[in-house]
Amino acid sequence: MVLTMLCLTMVVFFMVNLEPNLKKLAISQLDMRSPADQIESWLVKNGYRQNFFVRYGQWIGVVKKQPNIDATGKAIPRFSFCNEPTEPYYGGVLEGDFGCSTKFKTKVANKLFPALGATGILMFWVMVTMVPIALLIGILAGMREGTRTDRTLSVASIATTATPEYVSGIIFTVIFASWLGWLNGSAATATAQGITFYNFTLPVMTMAIYGIGYIARMTRASMVEVMTQQYIRTARLKGLSFSSVVIKHALRNALIAPFTVIMLQFPWLLTGVVIVEVMFRYQGFGYTLVEAAGNNDIDLLLGCSLVSVFVVLFTQLISDLGYAYLNPRIRVQ
């Protein structure tokens, strides 16, 4: 996991520090009409022309950061709004310092972690809504394979999965916010004034409806496979009721595959939330990521990428551990 994170962050670090991005950053901090020599001078003064591996080591926190030197030879911090020391120091990810946001004029941590908290709340309510509904649909469809119930639920699941968030979000906004007037079409008030049913339902619905179909289809397929196993037939022949067979024998084995799929929803939520947060102006992780990308905020972009890589790897680890817990054969091996 550490090696994967190191390689991925190095790739992202290289890409966000390409020459066009550095020039755009310098222009955003200076002026659109700044001459090329002034742009180059700003990049050199702020350390962007140092060796790639030196800069990566500084961002990680294994190489000391150097302050700027003004015309009089006095050491000054690179970015005054981050209160950086005026002497060489270790200040990278390993020290809990994610750098300075040139867009928001503050430390990256001051912007990134509140945004993550806001997105965490959104993800929590999406999972609370999505997972029980999806499992219920998948179990009901898998219990009655080939029946009208199965076909109806399967068609509905495929329809929701085939509808991307930017389509369902617009449809829900038109119906519930514009026509009926029941809900607020913007979630910006959720971060400013607090979360309510009125301002938070639309983004939760938009994200949940997409994931419900996928999890439901996986649950149905797993349930159908389990219901045809020999031990299920044996339990039925012993006279156990259908509901007892499903709850006591089929359900746990049927949930092994959906558990992995459910854990994979966390990385998807973290990246898929970008569209929803921008659409509903909910100022969370996705909204912050778009702002950072649009303004060439290099340190904030790197912080967002680091969080994304960590969430993907961590949820994969939990998925593997949970799979081994639910499947006795894996534990034995």
Side-chain angles (χ1 to χ4, degrees):
M1 288 175 62
V2 173
L3 182 60
T4 303
M5 182 175 290
L6 193 66
C7 293
L8 289 175
T9 52
M10 186 176 292
V11 171
V12 174
F13 190 89
F14 172 77
M15 295 186 71
V16 300
N17 282 281
L18 291 173
E19 186 64 20
N21 294 335
L22 293 179
K23 287 187 176 180
K24 288 179 183 178
L25 173 63
I27 291 172
S28 68
Q29 298 300 304
L30 295 171
D31 187 83
M32 289 293 295
R33 298 184 179 86
S34 298
D37 58 341
Q38 188 175 352
I39 292 174
E40 184 66 22
S41 174
W42 186 91
L43 291 173
V44 171
K45 185 179 73 172
N46 287 279
Y48 289 101
R49 290 307 190 199
Q50 295 183 78
N51 179 271
F52 169 80
F53 292 102
V54 171
R55 290 196 56 221
Y56 181 73
Q58 290 174 342
W59 180 70
I60 292 294
V62 295
V63 177
K64 284 186 177 182
K65 290 183 177 179
Q66 304 294 328
N68 293 336
I69 305 297
D70 63 9
T72 63
K74 181 181 177 182
I76 57 174
R78 285 195 315 152
F79 300 110
S80 58
F81 48 81
C82 279
N83 299 318
E84 292 184 335
T86 55
E87 65 276 352
Y89 71 103
Y90 290 103
V93 173
L94 295 178
E95 289 79 24
D97 184 358
F98 292 86
C100 294
S101 170
T102 53
K103 160 64 177 174
F104 298 101
K105 307 298 182 185
T106 185
K107 289 187 175 182
V108 168
N110 295 338
K111 184 65 181 177
L112 181 60
F113 291 116
L116 275 174
T119 296
I121 296 173
L122 177 60
M123 290 171 64
F124 171 79
W125 285 109
V126 170
M127 294 298 287
V128 167
T129 303
M130 178 175 65
V131 173
I133 295 176
L135 291 178
L136 181 62
I137 292 173
I139 291 169
L140 290 175
M143 286 167 53
R144 305 291 184 181
E145 182 189 10
T147 63
R148 182 179 299 177
T149 300
D150 176 29
R151 290 195 295 270
T152 302
L153 294 176
S154 295
V155 169
S157 299
I158 294 172
T160 59
T161 305
T163 307
E165 302 97 321
Y166 55 85
V167 174
S168 59
I170 293 173
I171 293 173
F172 290 151
T173 302
V174 170
I175 294 174
F176 295 104
S178 299
W179 290 356
L180 301 177
W182 291 350
L183 303 171
N184 191 346
S186 172
T189 55
T191 49
Q193 303 175 6
I195 294 170
T196 65
F197 179 83
Y198 182 70
N199 63 25
F200 210 57
T201 301
L202 282 181
V204 170
M205 285 174 56
T206 301
M207 296 193 68
I209 201 72
Y210 182 80
I212 283 174
Y214 184 50
I215 299 175
R217 291 289 296 169
M218 292 297 296
T219 305
R220 177 200 174 276
S222 182
M223 194 70 182
V224 168
E225 182 181 358
V226 168
M227 292 299 291
T228 59
Q229 296 297 315
Q230 186 64 42
Y231 69 90
I232 296 295
R233 296 195 190 99
T234 303
R236 293 297 303 275
L237 290 173
K238 287 183 176 180
L240 293 178
S241 64
F242 184 75
S243 59
S244 178
V245 170
V246 170
I247 295 172
K248 292 183 178 180
H249 299 279
L251 200 54
R252 175 171 176 171
N253 291 328
L255 291 179
I256 294 176
F259 174 79
T260 305
V261 176
I262 290 169
M263 293 307 301
L264 288 173
Q265 299 306 302
F266 284 96
W268 164 75
L269 286 174
L270 197 63
T271 53
V273 79
V274 172
I275 297 173
V276 175
E277 287 189 354
V278 172
M279 180 181 296
F280 294 103
R281 299 194 60 77
Y282 182 74
Q283 297 182 20
F285 177 81
Y287 189 87
T288 301
L289 178 60
V290 172
E291 287 286 298
N295 293 278
N296 277 79
D297 195 337
I298 289 178
D299 284 348
L300 186 54
L301 268 173
L302 290 170
C304 291
S305 68
L306 183 66
V307 169
S308 300
V309 171
F310 175 79
V311 169
V312 171
L313 294 176
F314 183 72
T315 51
Q316 289 297 299
L317 175 63
I318 298 299
S319 174
D320 291 341
L321 295 175
Y323 191 88
Y325 173 76
L326 291 172
N327 193 338
R329 289 174 296 181
I330 300 296
R331 292 204 301 273
V332 171
Q333 292 174 1

PDB file of all heavy atoms in Angstrom, residues 234-248:
ATOM      1  N   THR A 234     -31.224 -29.048   0.851  1.00  0.00           N
ATOM      2  CA  THR A 234     -31.294 -29.922   2.025  1.00  0.00           C
ATOM      3  C   THR A 234     -32.110 -29.276   3.133  1.00  0.00           C
ATOM      4  O   THR A 234     -32.943 -29.937   3.785  1.00  0.00           O
ATOM      5  CB  THR A 234     -29.880 -30.228   2.534  1.00  0.00           C
ATOM      6  OG1 THR A 234     -29.109 -30.813   1.477  1.00  0.00           O
ATOM      7  CG2 THR A 234     -29.913 -31.179   3.716  1.00  0.00           C
ATOM      8  N   ALA A 235     -31.890 -27.994   3.357  1.00  0.00           N
ATOM      9  CA  ALA A 235     -32.650 -27.292   4.393  1.00  0.00           C
ATOM     10  C   ALA A 235     -34.139 -27.260   4.064  1.00  0.00           C
ATOM     11  O   ALA A 235     -34.987 -27.434   4.949  1.00  0.00           O
ATOM     12  CB  ALA A 235     -32.112 -25.868   4.546  1.00  0.00           C
ATOM     13  N   ARG A 236     -34.471 -27.089   2.792  1.00  0.00           N
ATOM     14  CA  ARG A 236     -35.885 -27.084   2.395  1.00  0.00           C
ATOM     15  C   ARG A 236     -36.502 -28.470   2.589  1.00  0.00           C
ATOM     16  O   ARG A 236     -37.657 -28.602   3.030  1.00  0.00           O
ATOM     17  CB  ARG A 236     -36.029 -26.643   0.935  1.00  0.00           C
ATOM     18  CG  ARG A 236     -35.660 -25.189   0.648  1.00  0.00           C
ATOM     19  CD  ARG A 236     -36.563 -24.200   1.375  1.00  0.00           C
ATOM     20  NE  ARG A 236     -37.968 -24.405   1.058  1.00  0.00           N
ATOM     21  CZ  ARG A 236     -38.577 -23.881  -0.006  1.00  0.00           C
ATOM     22  NH1 ARG A 236     -37.878 -23.139  -0.853  1.00  0.00           N
ATOM     23  NH2 ARG A 236     -39.858 -24.085  -0.212  1.00  0.00           N
ATOM     24  N   LEU A 237     -35.736 -29.519   2.232  1.00  0.00           N
ATOM     25  CA  LEU A 237     -36.244 -30.888   2.381  1.00  0.00           C
ATOM     26  C   LEU A 237     -36.452 -31.266   3.844  1.00  0.00           C
ATOM     27  O   LEU A 237     -37.284 -32.120   4.160  1.00  0.00           O
ATOM     28  CB  LEU A 237     -35.276 -31.875   1.725  1.00  0.00           C
ATOM     29  CG  LEU A 237     -35.211 -31.830   0.189  1.00  0.00           C
ATOM     30  CD1 LEU A 237     -34.104 -32.728  -0.334  1.00  0.00           C
ATOM     31  CD2 LEU A 237     -36.554 -32.234  -0.420  1.00  0.00           C
ATOM     32  N   LYS A 238     -35.702 -30.641   4.745  1.00  0.00           N
ATOM     33  CA  LYS A 238     -35.881 -30.905   6.172  1.00  0.00           C
ATOM     34  C   LYS A 238     -37.124 -30.240   6.744  1.00  0.00           C
ATOM     35  O   LYS A 238     -37.443 -30.430   7.916  1.00  0.00           O
ATOM     36  CB  LYS A 238     -34.644 -30.433   6.942  1.00  0.00           C
ATOM     37  CG  LYS A 238     -33.427 -31.340   6.749  1.00  0.00           C
ATOM     38  CD  LYS A 238     -32.261 -30.852   7.591  1.00  0.00           C
ATOM     39  CE  LYS A 238     -31.070 -31.789   7.480  1.00  0.00           C
ATOM     40  NZ  LYS A 238     -29.912 -31.341   8.299  1.00  0.00           N
ATOM     41  N   GLY A 239     -37.795 -29.456   5.926  1.00  0.00           N
ATOM     42  CA  GLY A 239     -39.047 -28.850   6.366  1.00  0.00           C
ATOM     43  C   GLY A 239     -38.933 -27.426   6.867  1.00  0.00           C
ATOM     44  O   GLY A 239     -39.912 -26.866   7.367  1.00  0.00           O
ATOM     45  N   LEU A 240     -37.748 -26.804   6.743  1.00  0.00           N
ATOM     46  CA  LEU A 240     -37.618 -25.419   7.170  1.00  0.00           C
ATOM     47  C   LEU A 240     -38.402 -24.504   6.237  1.00  0.00           C
ATOM     48  O   LEU A 240     -38.496 -24.755   5.030  1.00  0.00           O
ATOM     49  CB  LEU A 240     -36.145 -24.993   7.164  1.00  0.00           C
ATOM     50  CG  LEU A 240     -35.231 -25.677   8.195  1.00  0.00           C
ATOM     51  CD1 LEU A 240     -33.799 -25.195   8.026  1.00  0.00           C
ATOM     52  CD2 LEU A 240     -35.709 -25.408   9.615  1.00  0.00           C
ATOM     53  N   SER A 241     -38.973 -23.465   6.809  1.00  0.00           N
ATOM     54  CA  SER A 241     -39.752 -22.527   6.001  1.00  0.00           C
ATOM     55  C   SER A 241     -38.831 -21.762   5.052  1.00  0.00           C
ATOM     56  O   SER A 241     -37.616 -21.636   5.296  1.00  0.00           O
ATOM     57  CB  SER A 241     -40.491 -21.536   6.896  1.00  0.00           C
ATOM     58  OG  SER A 241     -39.578 -20.734   7.620  1.00  0.00           O
ATOM     59  N   PHE A 242     -39.426 -21.240   3.987  1.00  0.00           N
ATOM     60  CA  PHE A 242     -38.645 -20.512   2.989  1.00  0.00           C
ATOM     61  C   PHE A 242     -37.948 -19.300   3.611  1.00  0.00           C
ATOM     62  O   PHE A 242     -36.761 -19.052   3.368  1.00  0.00           O
ATOM     63  CB  PHE A 242     -39.551 -20.077   1.844  1.00  0.00           C
ATOM     64  CG  PHE A 242     -38.820 -19.394   0.725  1.00  0.00           C
ATOM     65  CD1 PHE A 242     -38.052 -20.129  -0.173  1.00  0.00           C
ATOM     66  CD2 PHE A 242     -38.876 -18.021   0.567  1.00  0.00           C
ATOM     67  CE1 PHE A 242     -37.366 -19.502  -1.203  1.00  0.00           C
ATOM     68  CE2 PHE A 242     -38.203 -17.394  -0.458  1.00  0.00           C
ATOM     69  CZ  PHE A 242     -37.449 -18.142  -1.353  1.00  0.00           C
ATOM     70  N   SER A 243     -38.658 -18.537   4.436  1.00  0.00           N
ATOM     71  CA  SER A 243     -38.072 -17.351   5.068  1.00  0.00           C
ATOM     72  C   SER A 243     -36.935 -17.740   6.002  1.00  0.00           C
ATOM     73  O   SER A 243     -35.909 -17.057   6.076  1.00  0.00           O
ATOM     74  CB  SER A 243     -39.143 -16.576   5.832  1.00  0.00           C
ATOM     75  OG  SER A 243     -39.741 -17.394   6.818  1.00  0.00           O
ATOM     76  N   SER A 244     -37.079 -18.855   6.725  1.00  0.00           N
ATOM     77  CA  SER A 244     -36.030 -19.307   7.633  1.00  0.00           C
ATOM     78  C   SER A 244     -34.785 -19.722   6.866  1.00  0.00           C
ATOM     79  O   SER A 244     -33.654 -19.436   7.273  1.00  0.00           O
ATOM     80  CB  SER A 244     -36.534 -20.470   8.483  1.00  0.00           C
ATOM     81  OG  SER A 244     -35.524 -20.948   9.339  1.00  0.00           O
ATOM     82  N   VAL A 245     -34.967 -20.387   5.745  1.00  0.00           N
ATOM     83  CA  VAL A 245     -33.841 -20.804   4.910  1.00  0.00           C
ATOM     84  C   VAL A 245     -33.083 -19.588   4.388  1.00  0.00           C
ATOM     85  O   VAL A 245     -31.848 -19.540   4.403  1.00  0.00           O
ATOM     86  CB  VAL A 245     -34.328 -21.674   3.731  1.00  0.00           C
ATOM     87  CG1 VAL A 245     -33.209 -21.901   2.724  1.00  0.00           C
ATOM     88  CG2 VAL A 245     -34.857 -22.996   4.242  1.00  0.00           C
ATOM     89  N   VAL A 246     -33.828 -18.598   3.944  1.00  0.00           N
ATOM     90  CA  VAL A 246     -33.210 -17.393   3.388  1.00  0.00           C
ATOM     91  C   VAL A 246     -32.429 -16.641   4.460  1.00  0.00           C
ATOM     92  O   VAL A 246     -31.266 -16.269   4.270  1.00  0.00           O
ATOM     93  CB  VAL A 246     -34.278 -16.481   2.752  1.00  0.00           C
ATOM     94  CG1 VAL A 246     -33.671 -15.121   2.388  1.00  0.00           C
ATOM     95  CG2 VAL A 246     -34.860 -17.141   1.511  1.00  0.00           C
ATOM     96  N   ILE A 247     -33.053 -16.418   5.612  1.00  0.00           N
ATOM     97  CA  ILE A 247     -32.440 -15.593   6.650  1.00  0.00           C
ATOM     98  C   ILE A 247     -31.266 -16.306   7.325  1.00  0.00           C
ATOM     99  O   ILE A 247     -30.202 -15.717   7.541  1.00  0.00           O
ATOM    100  CB  ILE A 247     -33.497 -15.181   7.700  1.00  0.00           C
ATOM    101  CG1 ILE A 247     -34.554 -14.271   7.050  1.00  0.00           C
ATOM    102  CG2 ILE A 247     -32.841 -14.470   8.881  1.00  0.00           C
ATOM    103  CD1 ILE A 247     -35.726 -13.962   7.948  1.00  0.00           C
ATOM    104  N   LYS A 248     -31.446 -17.584   7.674  1.00  0.00           N
ATOM    105  CA  LYS A 248     -30.432 -18.286   8.459  1.00  0.00           C
ATOM    106  C   LYS A 248     -29.316 -18.899   7.623  1.00  0.00           C
ATOM    107  O   LYS A 248     -28.201 -19.059   8.110  1.00  0.00           O
ATOM    108  CB  LYS A 248     -31.106 -19.396   9.275  1.00  0.00           C
ATOM    109  CG  LYS A 248     -32.032 -18.869  10.374  1.00  0.00           C
ATOM    110  CD  LYS A 248     -32.603 -20.030  11.184  1.00  0.00           C
ATOM    111  CE  LYS A 248     -33.496 -19.521  12.314  1.00  0.00           C
ATOM    112  NZ  LYS A 248     -34.069 -20.638  13.121  1.00  0.00           N
TER     113      LYS A 248
END
